[in-house]
Amino acid sequence: MADLRTDAAVIAETQSAPADFAVIFDRHFDAIHRYLDRRAGRDVADELSGEVFRIAFEQRPRFKPIHESALPWLYGLATNLLLKHWRLGARELSALERVGCGLERHDTETAATDARIDAEPLGRRLAAALAHLPAGDRDVVVLIAWEELSYEEVAAALAIPEGTVRSRLNRARRTLRAALADQPSTTAFGLATGKDA
């Protein structure tokens, strides 16, 4: 039977029942692993996902239940862990280029293969453009575009004001649009809409 408690309630109860933290792990491990995989590749995701939850368990007394979900907090921990990882190895650019912005790599049908081949140059350019964004702007773009967090959730994840989230997203969209200006229909990250935060 599914545990109906909110994440905030589960975390509060882990002060007296630490084993209950497994509920948080079970609910959110896949999302955190997917986020790390998209940003740095499968090997790094495999290496760091468990570490995110270890840190979360240790820091659970400091969890602020701004949201009922712990996911924004976990994304913030994962982002900080990635930054430390990249600083140690200076591998950010190569990781983004290797991941290719999460483009699917399935060769099951000819149409899908053709679409992938057409999209790969754009994916590489987008990866390079993302890699050259300031880290704070890139984190906002990734959390909104890939993880579909709201501005409020991104603000909580990165411990910044919501207005800063909006301005970073606006600035990043302008930069990415300029980097991909010669593409006839760029829809990645809402670039073709002209709607800035």
mmCIF file of all heavy atoms in Angstrom, residues 127-162:
data_model
loop_
_atom_site.group_PDB
_atom_site.id
_atom_site.type_symbol
_atom_site.label_atom_id
_atom_site.label_comp_id
_atom_site.label_asym_id
_atom_site.label_seq_id
_atom_site.Cartn_x
_atom_site.Cartn_y
_atom_site.Cartn_z
ATOM 1 N N ALA A 127 24.361 21.878 -26.644
ATOM 2 C CA ALA A 127 25.199 21.446 -25.518
ATOM 3 C C ALA A 127 26.352 22.414 -25.313
ATOM 4 O O ALA A 127 26.668 22.796 -24.183
ATOM 5 C CB ALA A 127 25.722 20.038 -25.759
ATOM 6 N N ALA A 128 26.993 22.826 -26.403
ATOM 7 C CA ALA A 128 28.108 23.765 -26.294
ATOM 8 C C ALA A 128 27.624 25.114 -25.764
ATOM 9 O O ALA A 128 28.278 25.728 -24.912
ATOM 10 C CB ALA A 128 28.788 23.930 -27.650
ATOM 11 N N ALA A 129 26.462 25.563 -26.258
ATOM 12 C CA ALA A 129 25.912 26.837 -25.778
ATOM 13 C C ALA A 129 25.574 26.754 -24.289
ATOM 14 O O ALA A 129 25.849 27.687 -23.527
ATOM 15 C CB ALA A 129 24.681 27.219 -26.599
ATOM 16 N N LEU A 130 24.982 25.643 -23.874
ATOM 17 C CA LEU A 130 24.680 25.452 -22.452
ATOM 18 C C LEU A 130 25.955 25.449 -21.621
ATOM 19 O O LEU A 130 26.001 26.026 -20.538
ATOM 20 C CB LEU A 130 23.943 24.120 -22.235
ATOM 21 C CG LEU A 130 22.443 24.111 -22.449
ATOM 22 C CD1 LEU A 130 21.920 22.687 -22.425
ATOM 23 C CD2 LEU A 130 21.747 24.964 -21.408
ATOM 24 N N ALA A 131 26.982 24.791 -22.127
ATOM 25 C CA ALA A 131 28.240 24.693 -21.384
ATOM 26 C C ALA A 131 28.877 26.059 -21.171
ATOM 27 O O ALA A 131 29.598 26.265 -20.193
ATOM 28 C CB ALA A 131 29.211 23.772 -22.114
ATOM 29 N N HIS A 132 28.608 26.993 -22.070
ATOM 30 C CA HIS A 132 29.220 28.322 -21.953
ATOM 31 C C HIS A 132 28.364 29.311 -21.161
ATOM 32 O O HIS A 132 28.795 30.434 -20.920
ATOM 33 C CB HIS A 132 29.549 28.870 -23.345
ATOM 34 C CG HIS A 132 30.722 28.159 -23.954
ATOM 35 N ND1 HIS A 132 30.570 27.070 -24.789
ATOM 36 C CD2 HIS A 132 32.051 28.348 -23.816
ATOM 37 C CE1 HIS A 132 31.758 26.633 -25.144
ATOM 38 N NE2 HIS A 132 32.680 27.388 -24.570
ATOM 39 N N LEU A 133 27.165 28.898 -20.753
ATOM 40 C CA LEU A 133 26.359 29.752 -19.883
ATOM 41 C C LEU A 133 27.002 29.808 -18.501
ATOM 42 O O LEU A 133 27.635 28.843 -18.073
ATOM 43 C CB LEU A 133 24.947 29.181 -19.722
ATOM 44 C CG LEU A 133 23.973 29.281 -20.884
ATOM 45 C CD1 LEU A 133 22.680 28.547 -20.545
ATOM 46 C CD2 LEU A 133 23.685 30.728 -21.247
ATOM 47 N N PRO A 134 26.819 30.910 -17.788
ATOM 48 C CA PRO A 134 27.244 30.908 -16.380
ATOM 49 C C PRO A 134 26.531 29.766 -15.640
ATOM 50 O O PRO A 134 25.370 29.444 -15.948
ATOM 51 C CB PRO A 134 26.779 32.272 -15.863
ATOM 52 C CG PRO A 134 26.657 33.124 -17.090
ATOM 53 C CD PRO A 134 26.251 32.195 -18.198
ATOM 54 N N ALA A 135 27.207 29.166 -14.693
ATOM 55 C CA ALA A 135 26.676 27.977 -14.008
ATOM 56 C C ALA A 135 25.281 28.216 -13.426
ATOM 57 O O ALA A 135 24.396 27.367 -13.548
ATOM 58 C CB ALA A 135 27.631 27.524 -12.910
ATOM 59 N N GLY A 136 25.057 29.358 -12.824
ATOM 60 C CA GLY A 136 23.746 29.644 -12.227
ATOM 61 C C GLY A 136 22.644 29.705 -13.271
ATOM 62 O O GLY A 136 21.536 29.208 -13.046
ATOM 63 N N ASP A 137 22.922 30.303 -14.425
ATOM 64 C CA ASP A 137 21.933 30.369 -15.507
ATOM 65 C C ASP A 137 21.643 28.972 -16.042
ATOM 66 O O ASP A 137 20.494 28.600 -16.282
ATOM 67 C CB ASP A 137 22.435 31.255 -16.649
ATOM 68 C CG ASP A 137 22.538 32.719 -16.265
ATOM 69 O OD1 ASP A 137 22.257 33.064 -15.097
ATOM 70 O OD2 ASP A 137 22.917 33.521 -17.135
ATOM 71 N N ARG A 138 22.707 28.191 -16.232
ATOM 72 C CA ARG A 138 22.547 26.829 -16.758
ATOM 73 C C ARG A 138 21.718 25.974 -15.801
ATOM 74 O O ARG A 138 20.836 25.228 -16.225
ATOM 75 C CB ARG A 138 23.924 26.196 -16.996
ATOM 76 C CG ARG A 138 23.860 24.810 -17.569
ATOM 77 C CD ARG A 138 25.225 24.244 -17.921
ATOM 78 N NE ARG A 138 26.202 24.416 -16.862
ATOM 79 C CZ ARG A 138 27.211 25.276 -16.878
ATOM 80 N NH1 ARG A 138 27.411 26.067 -17.910
ATOM 81 N NH2 ARG A 138 28.054 25.359 -15.863
ATOM 82 N N ASP A 139 21.957 26.091 -14.501
ATOM 83 C CA ASP A 139 21.195 25.309 -13.531
ATOM 84 C C ASP A 139 19.706 25.637 -13.618
ATOM 85 O O ASP A 139 18.852 24.742 -13.579
ATOM 86 C CB ASP A 139 21.698 25.574 -12.111
ATOM 87 C CG ASP A 139 23.102 25.035 -11.880
ATOM 88 O OD1 ASP A 139 23.533 24.130 -12.629
ATOM 89 O OD2 ASP A 139 23.767 25.520 -10.945
ATOM 90 N N VAL A 140 19.381 26.910 -13.758
ATOM 91 C CA VAL A 140 17.976 27.321 -13.877
ATOM 92 C C VAL A 140 17.349 26.724 -15.138
ATOM 93 O O VAL A 140 16.258 26.153 -15.096
ATOM 94 C CB VAL A 140 17.847 28.864 -13.869
ATOM 95 C CG1 VAL A 140 16.460 29.308 -14.307
ATOM 96 C CG2 VAL A 140 18.169 29.414 -12.480
ATOM 97 N N VAL A 141 18.045 26.840 -16.273
ATOM 98 C CA VAL A 141 17.515 26.320 -17.538
ATOM 99 C C VAL A 141 17.257 24.820 -17.436
ATOM 100 O O VAL A 141 16.193 24.331 -17.817
ATOM 101 C CB VAL A 141 18.487 26.615 -18.708
ATOM 102 C CG1 VAL A 141 18.085 25.852 -19.961
ATOM 103 C CG2 VAL A 141 18.535 28.107 -19.000
ATOM 104 N N VAL A 142 18.221 24.097 -16.920
ATOM 105 C CA VAL A 142 18.097 22.634 -16.845
ATOM 106 C C VAL A 142 16.957 22.224 -15.915
ATOM 107 O O VAL A 142 16.166 21.339 -16.246
ATOM 108 C CB VAL A 142 19.441 22.006 -16.411
ATOM 109 C CG1 VAL A 142 19.277 20.548 -16.052
ATOM 110 C CG2 VAL A 142 20.467 22.164 -17.528
ATOM 111 N N LEU A 143 16.841 22.861 -14.763
ATOM 112 C CA LEU A 143 15.780 22.488 -13.823
ATOM 113 C C LEU A 143 14.396 22.813 -14.372
ATOM 114 O O LEU A 143 13.448 22.074 -14.134
ATOM 115 C CB LEU A 143 16.002 23.174 -12.474
ATOM 116 C CG LEU A 143 17.168 22.611 -11.654
ATOM 117 C CD1 LEU A 143 17.466 23.505 -10.457
ATOM 118 C CD2 LEU A 143 16.879 21.184 -11.207
ATOM 119 N N ILE A 144 14.284 23.879 -15.136
ATOM 120 C CA ILE A 144 12.986 24.228 -15.711
ATOM 121 C C ILE A 144 12.680 23.395 -16.944
ATOM 122 O O ILE A 144 11.597 22.830 -17.082
ATOM 123 C CB ILE A 144 12.918 25.740 -16.021
ATOM 124 C CG1 ILE A 144 12.802 26.519 -14.704
ATOM 125 C CG2 ILE A 144 11.740 26.074 -16.943
ATOM 126 C CD1 ILE A 144 12.862 28.013 -14.836
ATOM 127 N N ALA A 145 13.656 23.281 -17.859
ATOM 128 C CA ALA A 145 13.400 22.603 -19.138
ATOM 129 C C ALA A 145 13.389 21.084 -19.011
ATOM 130 O O ALA A 145 12.517 20.437 -19.576
ATOM 131 C CB ALA A 145 14.445 23.034 -20.170
ATOM 132 N N TRP A 146 14.348 20.517 -18.314
ATOM 133 C CA TRP A 146 14.436 19.060 -18.236
ATOM 134 C C TRP A 146 13.608 18.487 -17.103
ATOM 135 O O TRP A 146 12.943 17.476 -17.262
ATOM 136 C CB TRP A 146 15.878 18.615 -18.051
ATOM 137 C CG TRP A 146 16.719 18.703 -19.277
ATOM 138 C CD1 TRP A 146 16.284 18.850 -20.560
ATOM 139 C CD2 TRP A 146 18.142 18.641 -19.344
ATOM 140 N NE1 TRP A 146 17.355 18.896 -21.409
ATOM 141 C CE2 TRP A 146 18.507 18.755 -20.696
ATOM 142 C CE3 TRP A 146 19.134 18.500 -18.387
ATOM 143 C CZ2 TRP A 146 19.830 18.735 -21.116
ATOM 144 C CZ3 TRP A 146 20.454 18.471 -18.810
ATOM 145 C CH2 TRP A 146 20.782 18.590 -20.157
ATOM 146 N N GLU A 147 13.651 19.144 -15.950
ATOM 147 C CA GLU A 147 12.986 18.587 -14.774
ATOM 148 C C GLU A 147 11.588 19.162 -14.556
ATOM 149 O O GLU A 147 10.863 18.718 -13.688
ATOM 150 C CB GLU A 147 13.851 18.791 -13.529
ATOM 151 C CG GLU A 147 15.246 18.215 -13.668
ATOM 152 C CD GLU A 147 15.281 16.761 -14.117
ATOM 153 O OE1 GLU A 147 14.424 15.967 -13.677
ATOM 154 O OE2 GLU A 147 16.173 16.413 -14.919
ATOM 155 N N GLU A 148 11.239 20.185 -15.348
ATOM 156 C CA GLU A 148 9.912 20.796 -15.348
ATOM 157 C C GLU A 148 9.495 21.327 -13.975
ATOM 158 O O GLU A 148 8.348 21.234 -13.575
ATOM 159 C CB GLU A 148 8.869 19.810 -15.896
ATOM 160 C CG GLU A 148 9.177 19.408 -17.331
ATOM 161 C CD GLU A 148 8.177 18.413 -17.917
ATOM 162 O OE1 GLU A 148 7.253 17.983 -17.195
ATOM 163 O OE2 GLU A 148 8.339 18.078 -19.092
ATOM 164 N N LEU A 149 10.470 21.904 -13.260
ATOM 165 C CA LEU A 149 10.165 22.535 -11.992
ATOM 166 C C LEU A 149 9.578 23.917 -12.250
ATOM 167 O O LEU A 149 9.862 24.543 -13.271
ATOM 168 C CB LEU A 149 11.431 22.674 -11.139
ATOM 169 C CG LEU A 149 11.739 21.540 -10.166
ATOM 170 C CD1 LEU A 149 11.932 20.233 -10.873
ATOM 171 C CD2 LEU A 149 12.951 21.873 -9.327
ATOM 172 N N SER A 150 8.773 24.380 -11.326
ATOM 173 C CA SER A 150 8.227 25.734 -11.403
ATOM 174 C C SER A 150 9.308 26.724 -10.963
ATOM 175 O O SER A 150 10.327 26.338 -10.381
ATOM 176 C CB SER A 150 7.012 25.861 -10.484
ATOM 177 O OG SER A 150 7.417 25.787 -9.126
ATOM 178 N N TYR A 151 9.076 28.002 -11.210
ATOM 179 C CA TYR A 151 10.024 29.026 -10.769
ATOM 180 C C TYR A 151 10.215 28.931 -9.253
ATOM 181 O O TYR A 151 11.328 29.038 -8.742
ATOM 182 C CB TYR A 151 9.548 30.432 -11.131
ATOM 183 C CG TYR A 151 9.468 30.717 -12.605
ATOM 184 C CD1 TYR A 151 8.473 31.525 -13.122
ATOM 185 C CD2 TYR A 151 10.397 30.188 -13.495
ATOM 186 C CE1 TYR A 151 8.399 31.804 -14.479
ATOM 187 C CE2 TYR A 151 10.330 30.458 -14.852
ATOM 188 C CZ TYR A 151 9.325 31.271 -15.337
ATOM 189 O OH TYR A 151 9.258 31.545 -16.671
ATOM 190 N N GLU A 152 9.119 28.749 -8.546
ATOM 191 C CA GLU A 152 9.172 28.662 -7.081
ATOM 192 C C GLU A 152 10.011 27.462 -6.633
ATOM 193 O O GLU A 152 10.821 27.561 -5.709
ATOM 194 C CB GLU A 152 7.750 28.555 -6.527
ATOM 195 C CG GLU A 152 7.682 28.511 -5.025
ATOM 196 C CD GLU A 152 6.265 28.316 -4.515
ATOM 197 O OE1 GLU A 152 5.348 28.031 -5.315
ATOM 198 O OE2 GLU A 152 6.095 28.421 -3.294
ATOM 199 N N GLU A 153 9.840 26.330 -7.295
ATOM 200 C CA GLU A 153 10.603 25.134 -6.936
ATOM 201 C C GLU A 153 12.089 25.294 -7.263
ATOM 202 O O GLU A 153 12.943 24.847 -6.499
ATOM 203 C CB GLU A 153 10.033 23.908 -7.651
ATOM 204 C CG GLU A 153 8.661 23.498 -7.145
ATOM 205 C CD GLU A 153 7.996 22.447 -8.003
ATOM 206 O OE1 GLU A 153 8.195 22.461 -9.246
ATOM 207 O OE2 GLU A 153 7.281 21.599 -7.449
ATOM 208 N N VAL A 154 12.395 25.936 -8.394
ATOM 209 C CA VAL A 154 13.798 26.187 -8.740
ATOM 210 C C VAL A 154 14.422 27.124 -7.706
ATOM 211 O O VAL A 154 15.561 26.911 -7.271
ATOM 212 C CB VAL A 154 13.934 26.762 -10.164
ATOM 213 C CG1 VAL A 154 15.367 27.180 -10.450
ATOM 214 C CG2 VAL A 154 13.471 25.741 -11.194
ATOM 215 N N ALA A 155 13.678 28.138 -7.304
ATOM 216 C CA ALA A 155 14.172 29.058 -6.278
ATOM 217 C C ALA A 155 14.506 28.298 -4.995
ATOM 218 O O ALA A 155 15.569 28.521 -4.388
ATOM 219 C CB ALA A 155 13.139 30.153 -6.008
ATOM 220 N N ALA A 156 13.638 27.380 -4.611
ATOM 221 C CA ALA A 156 13.898 26.580 -3.405
ATOM 222 C C ALA A 156 15.088 25.655 -3.608
ATOM 223 O O ALA A 156 15.937 25.515 -2.717
ATOM 224 C CB ALA A 156 12.651 25.769 -3.041
ATOM 225 N N ALA A 157 15.182 25.032 -4.786
ATOM 226 C CA ALA A 157 16.272 24.094 -5.055
ATOM 227 C C ALA A 157 17.634 24.779 -5.017
ATOM 228 O O ALA A 157 18.605 24.222 -4.505
ATOM 229 C CB ALA A 157 16.079 23.419 -6.412
ATOM 230 N N LEU A 158 17.710 25.988 -5.548
ATOM 231 C CA LEU A 158 18.992 26.690 -5.656
ATOM 232 C C LEU A 158 19.200 27.723 -4.553
ATOM 233 O O LEU A 158 20.228 28.409 -4.537
ATOM 234 C CB LEU A 158 19.106 27.354 -7.035
ATOM 235 C CG LEU A 158 19.027 26.407 -8.231
ATOM 236 C CD1 LEU A 158 19.112 27.189 -9.540
ATOM 237 C CD2 LEU A 158 20.114 25.334 -8.168
ATOM 238 N N ALA A 159 18.212 27.846 -3.664
ATOM 239 C CA ALA A 159 18.290 28.799 -2.548
ATOM 240 C C ALA A 159 18.535 30.224 -3.041
ATOM 241 O O ALA A 159 19.423 30.933 -2.576
ATOM 242 C CB ALA A 159 19.354 28.372 -1.541
ATOM 243 N N ILE A 160 17.730 30.629 -4.037
ATOM 244 C CA ILE A 160 17.798 31.989 -4.581
ATOM 245 C C ILE A 160 16.374 32.530 -4.673
ATOM 246 O O ILE A 160 15.412 31.757 -4.697
ATOM 247 C CB ILE A 160 18.474 32.022 -5.974
ATOM 248 C CG1 ILE A 160 17.739 31.111 -6.975
ATOM 249 C CG2 ILE A 160 19.951 31.649 -5.866
ATOM 250 C CD1 ILE A 160 18.282 31.159 -8.391
ATOM 251 N N PRO A 161 16.205 33.847 -4.748
ATOM 252 C CA PRO A 161 14.865 34.413 -4.880
ATOM 253 C C PRO A 161 14.227 34.037 -6.228
ATOM 254 O O PRO A 161 14.923 33.830 -7.233
ATOM 255 C CB PRO A 161 15.095 35.930 -4.812
ATOM 256 C CG PRO A 161 16.441 36.100 -4.207
ATOM 257 C CD PRO A 161 17.236 34.887 -4.578
ATOM 258 N N GLU A 162 12.912 33.979 -6.245
ATOM 259 C CA GLU A 162 12.189 33.637 -7.472
ATOM 260 C C GLU A 162 12.468 34.650 -8.583
ATOM 261 O O GLU A 162 12.571 34.286 -9.757
ATOM 262 C CB GLU A 162 10.688 33.558 -7.187
ATOM 263 C CG GLU A 162 9.902 32.934 -8.300
ATOM 264 C CD GLU A 162 8.445 32.708 -7.931
ATOM 265 O OE1 GLU A 162 8.145 32.449 -6.759
ATOM 266 O OE2 GLU A 162 7.603 32.808 -8.845
#
